[in-house]
Amino acid sequence: MSGQASQSHGAQESGSRGGDQEQYKQLYDMLLNAIPSSVLLIDSKLRVTSVNRNFLTRSQRSLSDTIGCTLAEVFPSVILERTDIKRRILEVFKSNKPSSGQRMAYRAPGMPFRTYYYRIFPIVSGTREEQVMLLMEDVTEQVRLSEEMRRMECHLASVVESASDLVLSLDTEGRILTWNTAAEKLSGFAFSRVKGQFFFEFCHSAAHSDIKNLFHRMRRSARPLTAEWELMPEKGSEIPVAWVFSPMKDDDALTVGIVAVGRDLTEQRKLEAEQRRSQKLAALGVMAGGIAHEIRNPLAVCSSAAQFLMEDGLAAEFRTECAEKIQASLQKASSIIENLLRFSRPSDKQKMAPVALATVLSETITLAANQAKVHKIKIICQLPERCPPVSGVFSLLQQVFMNLLLNAINAMPEGGELHITLEQQGGEARISIKDTGTGIAEDALDKIFDPFHTTSPVGQGVGLGLSLCYSIVKQHLGSISVDSQPGQGTTFTVSLPLL
Amino acid sequence: MTASSQPLLDCLIVDDEPGIAWVMEHLLLTGGYTAVSVPTGMAALAALRQQRFRLAFLDAKLPDIDGLQLAQQLRELEPAMPIILVSGYYYPDDPAILRALESDTISHFIAKPFTNGDILAVLAGLA
């Protein structure tokens, strides 16, 4: 019998029925041993009457020191105490109903911990003493997996919750499903307040139709879409946020939701405004020479004419001529200063408004003309009389054109021609600024819009100029491009959507 | 006809700003000097090839050439002619001006705006 783990002690008493009995017993043993779970039969005195091979292997016991032993001898006392298994068995004897499933951690000597799921079933037999069956299934792996899964879920949730960016999930209609702590903090709205609400309700009203459009496109898009929309917090003024919307796809590649990640741009905007201010100062510094020359000429005329007037015996005609020269010169000096003031006025906190590009360009060209003149540069300018306006901030657009003009002038130390054209192409206004200067090397063209890139020597450069041009043009939903031939010249083209 | 065969004129004025040319002409002519004004470097060189001048007043920034560059070119044509740079672009102790004075590219520098006396004093000093 030693090769046969399963052993029914009841079977030892029944030799009278001969071969049939033996055959059934063998079949019973075979079936019992084939079960990939531990099976024990226990009588009402809590003694083991039968056991299968699975249990013996796991518990590292032999058949002989298990059959007929009490539960207390077979299971470590710590398990019996913790699982209350004795009481459960007695309960089943009493109720004749299977117990509910329970978990039990069991560790055989020298073996790692295993987790079992066990149930106790009553075995009703008219002739025999009553027994119950203890069925133990090893669920160590499942438990490990589910714990891992739970840990992973917790980890993911904590990633989302710890993020300083806003992380939202939305349904395909744009209704809020989840809203992380960063979103609660920035907006002041608790998740419970926003749950199920439409995302657009928490954005600036100017963006509502754009948001609806984006979600509409999102349903078919496989790629993330980006936007900058202002968040309307519970208290205080709107907050600029850069959003990235990514579609969540199911196994059939259908969009089932949207993940929105938003970054508060407040600090960045402040930094940009500061950069623009300091860059403007740099541009004003560059222009100082040209402006000094241009203002001191009319001042010299005024000064001399005034001195003429102080002389005695002047002809009335000449006196009038002197007065007219003084008047005209003062007007000229004053208009140079006025243009300068227009350029230097603060540009932050200005709202988008319809802007006539021809006016921006002509004001900027007038100011840059002083600089062009001292560098012997001829300005050739083609501005149409009528061009529909664009939506923009006057002073920011002026800063873009001023930077491009000053860069062009800077590129022509030996003089040259500066062509400025404004034309309407479809729904866009296209401004091109073309110089006949030194040009830009091909390998530098890629880096030209990077902040801090400059080819000018320290102290002379307007290194921030082009990266600011880029960010301002982008803010106006436009684009800027450059085309250059070293030794031939450079053309910058700015495209802006017409209103 | 060569430049040397022409009567000597007192002043060549090179300035593209009509107001300055008006001031200089009036100042010099009423002071009893003879003067001709031209608006560009090219015109100045052309005038000098046709006519001799006792001295020249140059603006620093001309449409076709830098005043200091023009001074060098005039120097080659008329090594002895005093050249006075009259400009609002530089200041009196500007390094570029100090260098030009040191190398004798220019003889004097007068900053704009100037007093009429400044101009006349230069002429008197050279007389």
Side-chain angles (χ1 to χ4, degrees), chain A residues 289-290 292-293 296-297 299-301 303-305 307-308 311 318 321-322 325 332 373-374 376, chain B residues 16-17 19-20 22-23 26-27 59 61-66 88-90 112-116:
Chain A
H293 180 252
R296 287 173 104 184
N297 265 333
L299 286 184
V301 175
S303 166
S304 289
Q307 290 172 67
F308 293 150
E311 288 165 14
F318 183 67
E321 198 179 354
C322 284
K325 291 279 181 199
K332 192 176 168 195
K373 199 172 167 188
V374 301
K376 304 172 290 292
Chain B
D16 63 320
E17 175 66 38
I20 298 291
W22 171 81
V23 164
H26 181 80
L27 191 54
D59 184 18
K61 295 290 173 184
L62 294 162
D64 57 347
I65 193 166
D66 228 56
Y89 188 75
Y90 297 110
K112 287 178 187 170
F114 45 79
T115 66
N116 297 346

Side-chain angles (χ1 to χ4, degrees), chain A residues 83-355:
Chain A
T83 55
D84 203 13
I85 196 165
K86 276 189 190 171
R87 193 185 54 78
R88 285 176 190 282
I89 290 171
L90 293 173
E91 195 102 320
V92 173
F93 274 119
K94 208 163 120 193
S95 69
N96 243 356
K97 282 184 186 140
S99 76
S100 58
Q102 296 288 326
R103 259 196 208 168
M104 164 207 299
Y106 178 75
R107 183 176 173 189
M111 299 286 278
F113 248 112
R114 308 294 297 179
T115 307
Y116 292 93
Y117 178 81
Y118 73 89
R119 290 189 75 182
I120 305 157
F121 298 92
I123 299 174
V124 185
S125 142
T127 56
R128 293 226 184 116
E129 190 184 353
E130 285 200 333
Q131 294 184 84
V132 294
M133 176 170 71
L134 175 62
L135 189 68
M136 292 165 56
E137 205 174 339
D138 186 345
V139 292
T140 312
E141 199 58 15
Q142 286 94 312
V143 168
R144 193 181 65 76
L145 283 175
S146 77
E147 264 170 16
E148 208 156 85
M149 190 94 97
R150 211 179 52 236
R151 257 204 309 277
M152 195 90 89
E153 272 172 13
C154 282
H155 180 72
L156 278 178
S158 101
V159 166
V160 169
E161 286 309 304
S162 313
S164 55
D165 283 347
L166 319 185
V167 182
L168 280 56
S169 62
L170 312 168
D171 67 15
T172 51
E173 305 290 316
R175 270 181 288 255
I176 296 164
L177 301 174
T178 66
W179 174 267
N180 72 344
T181 312
E184 287 188 330
K185 250 193 218 161
L186 190 67
S187 68
F189 291 118
F191 173 52
S192 56
R193 163 74 180 75
V194 303
K195 192 181 176 188
Q197 306 282 316
F198 282 102
F199 170 77
F200 74 79
E201 291 172 43
F202 300 94
C203 294
H204 195 282
S205 58
H208 285 187
S209 65
D210 287 350
I211 295 172
K212 284 174 198 165
N213 274 339
L214 181 132
F215 288 146
H216 194 74
R217 278 196 293 152
M218 203 79 219
R219 270 175 245 169
R220 277 182 304 274
S221 175
R223 286 195 309 193
L225 299 174
T226 58
E228 280 184 21
W229 290 325
E230 286 170 333
L231 189 71
M232 302 302 290
E234 193 179 23
K235 289 181 202 124
S237 55
E238 57 270 48
I239 301 162
V241 176
W243 296 98
V244 181
F245 298 92
S246 313
M248 269 192 282
K249 301 280 186 187
D250 67 5
D251 293 343
D252 301 322
L254 279 172
T255 301
V256 290
I258 296 157
V259 179
V261 177
R263 176 161 292 180
D264 179 3
L265 292 178
T266 311
E267 281 306 306
Q268 198 183 321
R269 285 282 155 83
K270 268 191 211 156
L271 199 69
E272 278 172 6
E274 258 167 49
Q275 274 184 354
R276 284 170 191 168
R277 267 197 298 277
S278 62
Q279 196 277 329
K280 223 171 206 188
L281 284 175
L284 285 168
V286 169
M287 287 189 279
I291 289 160
H293 180 252
E294 285 310 296
I295 289 181
R296 287 173 104 184
N297 265 333
L299 286 184
V301 175
C302 288
S303 166
S304 289
Q307 290 172 67
F308 293 150
L309 285 175
M310 287 188 278
E311 288 165 14
D312 295 330
L314 288 179
E317 217 171 88
F318 183 67
R319 299 183 76 90
T320 311
E321 198 179 354
C322 284
E324 280 169 0
K325 291 279 181 199
I326 292 173
Q327 166 70 19
S329 298
L330 288 177
Q331 200 66 48
K332 192 176 168 195
S334 172
S335 76
I336 293 168
I337 292 169
E338 188 176 317
N339 276 323
L340 200 61
L341 288 175
R342 277 181 197 279
F343 178 69
S344 60
R345 73 190 145 198
S347 59
D348 48 338
K349 296 235 174 194
Q350 285 198 32
K351 288 278 166 205
M352 294 276 197
V355 173

Side-chain angles (χ1 to χ4, degrees), chain B residues 6-59:
Chain B
Q6 286 290 306
L8 182 70
L9 284 181
D10 292 316
C11 309
L12 173 66
I13 303 158
V14 191
D15 202 308
D16 63 320
E17 175 66 38
I20 298 291
W22 171 81
V23 164
M24 294 292 285
E25 277 172 24
H26 181 80
L27 191 54
L28 296 168
L29 295 176
T30 54
Y33 299 99
T34 46
V36 165
S37 89
V38 292
T40 63
M42 287 288 280
L45 289 165
L48 209 62
R49 284 193 189 100
Q50 292 193 356
Q51 181 78 59
R52 291 189 64 221
F53 294 91
R54 280 180 61 210
L55 58 90
F57 290 102
L58 307 187
D59 184 18

Side-chain angles (χ1 to χ4, degrees), chain A residues 353-366:
Chain A
V355 173
L357 286 173
T359 313
V360 183
L361 281 167
S362 62
E363 265 194 34
T364 315
I365 291 165
T366 307

